Amino acid sequence: MRNVLLKIQYDGSAFHGFQVQKEDVTVQQTLQDALVTLFGQPVTVTGCSRTDSGVHALWYVAKVTFNGNIAVEKIPYALATVLPKQLSVIDAAECDEDFHPRYDVVSKTYIYRVYVGRFLNPFESGYSWHCKFPIDVDKMNKAAACFVGKHDFKGFMASGSSVTDTVRTVSDCSVERFGDILQISITADGFLYNMVRIIAGTLVEIGGGKIDENDLPCIIASGIREKAGITAPAHGLFLAKVDYGKDVFSKDER
Amino acid sequence: MRNVLLKIQYDGSAFHGFQVQKEDVTVQQTLQDALVTLFGQPVTVTGCSRTDSGVHALWYVAKVTFNGNIAVEKIPYALATVLPKQLSVIDAAECDEDFHPRYDVVSKTYIYRVYVGRFLNPFESGYSWHCKFPIDVDKMNKAAACFVGKHDFKGFMASGSSVTDTVRTVSDCSVERFGDILQISITADGFLYNMVRIIAGTLVEIGGGKIDENDLPCIIASGIREKAGITAPAHGLFLAKVDYGKDVFSKDER
């Protein structure tokens, strides 16, 4: 059996998340079906993250296990002939049998996009959260720095999640403005369920003056979900990078 | 009766062009229906251009004629409550009864976007033409300069068009690269049917080496459609600016 890592991009609007479900179209199912069409045999697909319905990916890593002699660099081209236009394989590389795309992650980076234009922008509406109230980016940035470090993020996890170890280390959290887009970037060794969307919602509420930025350290320390901000909508969220602490793909990519 | 100009943006993927058709969803029909819902009376909508099915607009101007006392600056907000997310009104201003959004145009600017990444990008696939062959942007730019000036663009008009005066003046035609996107900009006092898409197709074929850039002046002078390049697909084309030689909208926009 061969083990190959795929670097993929997808428009989350077209999928009900990554993981296979009974009824709905998911990334994993679409990828599996394409691989079966291509190789004429069952293929196992393991993802680096269970992204939610509607969440987008600029850099997602999936491991596929199959029999076949296709040259690894030809896999993205071959898959392009059978995949829908909302899903693209942009790199492929052989990997060890025991490499796990989720458990071997050293850090992941998410981007959350907020659109602050006065009116709806038809080209942004599927790829950002439209916030029409005045937002202070400096306040957001000062608050973002409070998330950096090793913290118990219990208050920034969707209620109902069964995870018990809620300590995560955030290595970067910052906000940049590009025209009418605010881009929140966050890198951590792992994320709790809805953690980025709750952090984004909290930062936007701080920027909008609904939550006082000076209260944030206490809000984090409290571990109480209700004290944090709202959960920002899924369609503003992008998985932007998956880091394994080493180059798992070829270096010659454009 | 009041006469109001609307500045609108729309994602062309959702519409069969601007102009009302019997069966299909068009921008004009969608706008008319929204205005009727809002004002409870028939409203006339006149557009600045008959954009094709699939073509996008960042800045389209439509004139609407109706009875009603709504403050002009409230119109975009009121329309936002009834329009679909693929269509947005971003400005509104009173205009004279005899102002015509199409005949009074001094110049229009179109942008044509070409994606040159190796693999399909799911976030670009609806908004650019994916060209996978090597493209020389310098060659494209040298060729683009040949379109500037007053020329008979008969060879750059879709065959079957009944227009007889095919002379147009192009004031700007240039190509810029932003990462994996090539952006062709073209400004003229008017455009023949499919003119921008044929110019874009020709420039891409010149950049790809299929047409010799030195032949372009002869191709233009020939007036023969078959000598020019292919018609680039509609989904890469954006109407980007409509200039009436004066400010028709408020100046305080963001």
Side-chain angles (χ1 to χ4, degrees):
Chain A
M1 296 293 268
R2 276 174 76 192
N3 295 284
V4 168
L5 293 182
L6 304 179
K7 189 196 283 185
I8 69 180
Q9 295 188 329
Y10 56 84
D11 181 336
S13 333
F15 302 100
H16 288 258
F18 182 81
Q19 210 165 17
V20 166
Q21 290 178 23
K22 262 189 187 164
E23 304 274 328
D24 296 317
V25 177
T26 65
V27 175
Q28 191 178 26
Q29 188 71 60
T30 305
L31 211 47
Q32 256 171 22
D33 292 350
L35 288 158
V36 168
T37 303
L38 217 59
F39 299 128
Q41 55 170 294
V43 174
T44 313
V45 176
T46 314
C48 67
S49 164
R50 295 182 189 171
T51 61
D52 275 350
S53 185
V55 174
H56 312 287
L58 300 168
W59 177 326
Y60 187 102
V61 179
K63 181 184 176 185
V64 296
T65 305
F66 64 101
N67 272 313
N69 296 319
I70 185 170
V72 73
E73 64 274 14
K74 289 192 176 161
I75 293 175
Y77 297 98
L79 278 168
T81 64
V82 286
L83 283 172
K85 68 175 185 172
Q86 295 89 353
L87 173 56
S88 182
V89 174
I90 60 171
D91 207 347
E94 310 276 353
C95 74
D96 293 338
E97 192 187 335
D98 60 357
F99 183 92
H100 196 287
R102 182 140 66 105
Y103 305 139
D104 288 0
V105 167
V106 172
S107 73
K108 282 190 291 190
T109 300
Y110 282 94
I111 284 171
Y112 195 93
R113 299 176 80 249
V114 180
Y115 182 70
V116 296
R118 229 189 311 180
F119 300 107
L120 179 143
N121 177 330
F123 304 101
E124 285 295 342
S125 58
Y127 308 101
S128 58
W129 179 23
H130 191 190
C131 294
K132 287 172 249 183
F133 44 86
I135 294 183
D136 183 331
V137 180
D138 288 338
K139 270 192 190 175
M140 284 177 81
N141 249 319
K142 274 179 212 158
C146 299
F147 290 112
V148 176
K150 190 173 180 176
H151 298 285
D152 185 338
F153 283 98
K154 198 178 162 194
F156 292 80
M157 175 173 77
S159 55
S161 173
S162 59
V163 172
T164 49
D165 176 12
T166 51
V167 174
R168 296 293 183 273
T169 302
V170 171
S171 54
D172 178 67
C173 185
S174 56
V175 187
E176 271 187 287
R177 184 171 185 145
F178 303 96
D180 279 342
I181 290 287
L182 306 184
Q183 187 171 296
I184 302 169
S185 294
I186 179 160
T187 303
D189 59 351
F191 292 91
L192 303 169
Y193 188 50
N194 278 356
M195 180 170 149
V196 184
R197 290 168 56 191
I198 300 170
I199 288 177
T202 303
L203 287 175
V204 165
E205 290 197 323
I206 286 170
K210 213 180 155 194
I211 298 176
D212 190 317
E213 71 269 33
N214 298 312
D215 292 344
L216 186 57
C218 287
I219 293 171
I220 298 173
S222 77
I224 301 170
R225 172 67 193 92
E226 289 70 27
K227 295 204 170 181
I230 60 170
T231 305
H235 64 269
L237 185 60
F238 292 72
L239 176 56
K241 192 176 177 187
V242 186
D243 192 342
Y244 294 102
K246 60 181 180 183
D247 287 327
V248 294
F249 292 103
S250 54
K251 287 179 188 176
D252 65 341
E253 64 175 12
R254 284 162 72 154
Chain B
M1 295 294 267
R2 277 172 76 191
N3 295 284
V4 169
L5 294 181
L6 304 179
K7 189 195 282 185
I8 68 180
Q9 295 190 327
Y10 56 84
D11 180 338
S13 332
F15 302 100
H16 287 260
F18 182 80
Q19 210 164 17
V20 166
Q21 290 179 24
K22 263 189 187 160
E23 304 274 328
D24 295 318
V25 177
T26 66
V27 176
Q28 192 178 24
Q29 188 69 62
T30 305
L31 211 47
Q32 258 171 21
D33 293 349
L35 288 159
V36 168
T37 303
L38 217 57
F39 299 127
Q41 54 170 296
V43 175
T44 313
V45 177
T46 314
C48 67
S49 165
R50 295 183 191 172
T51 61
D52 276 349
S53 185
V55 174
H56 312 286
L58 299 169
W59 176 326
Y60 186 101
V61 179
K63 181 185 176 185
V64 296
T65 305
F66 64 101
N67 273 312
N69 296 321
I70 185 170
V72 72
E73 65 273 16
K74 289 193 178 160
I75 294 176
Y77 297 98
L79 278 168
T81 64
V82 286
L83 284 171
K85 67 175 187 172
Q86 296 88 354
L87 173 55
S88 181
V89 174
I90 59 171
D91 209 347
E94 310 276 353
C95 74
D96 292 338
E97 192 186 336
D98 61 356
F99 184 91
H100 196 288
R102 181 139 66 105
Y103 304 139
D104 289 359
V105 167
V106 171
S107 73
K108 281 189 292 190
T109 301
Y110 281 94
I111 283 172
Y112 195 93
R113 300 175 81 248
V114 179
Y115 182 70
V116 296
R118 227 189 310 179
F119 300 106
L120 178 143
N121 177 330
F123 304 100
E124 285 295 341
S125 58
Y127 309 100
S128 59
W129 180 22
H130 191 190
C131 294
K132 287 173 251 186
F133 44 86
I135 294 183
D136 183 331
V137 180
D138 289 339
K139 272 191 188 176
M140 284 178 80
N141 249 319
K142 274 179 212 158
C146 299
F147 290 112
V148 177
K150 191 173 180 176
H151 299 285
D152 185 339
F153 284 98
K154 198 178 162 194
F156 291 80
M157 177 173 75
S159 55
S161 172
S162 59
V163 173
T164 50
D165 176 12
T166 50
V167 175
R168 297 291 183 274
T169 301
V170 171
S171 53
D172 178 67
C173 185
S174 56
V175 188
E176 271 186 287
R177 182 170 187 147
F178 303 96
D180 280 342
I181 290 287
L182 306 184
Q183 186 170 297
I184 302 169
S185 294
I186 179 161
T187 303
D189 60 350
F191 292 90
L192 304 168
Y193 188 50
N194 277 358
M195 181 169 148
V196 184
R197 290 168 55 188
I198 300 170
I199 289 177
T202 304
L203 287 176
V204 165
E205 290 196 324
I206 286 170
K210 212 178 157 195
I211 297 176
D212 190 317
E213 71 271 33
N214 299 311
D215 293 344
L216 185 57
C218 288
I219 293 171
I220 297 173
S222 77
I224 300 169
R225 171 67 192 93
E226 290 70 27
K227 293 203 172 182
I230 60 169
T231 305
H235 65 268
L237 185 60
F238 292 72
L239 176 56
K241 193 177 176 186
V242 185
D243 192 342
Y244 293 102
K246 59 180 179 183
D247 287 326
V248 294
F249 292 103
S250 55
K251 287 176 182 175
D252 65 341
E253 64 174 12
R254 283 162 74 154

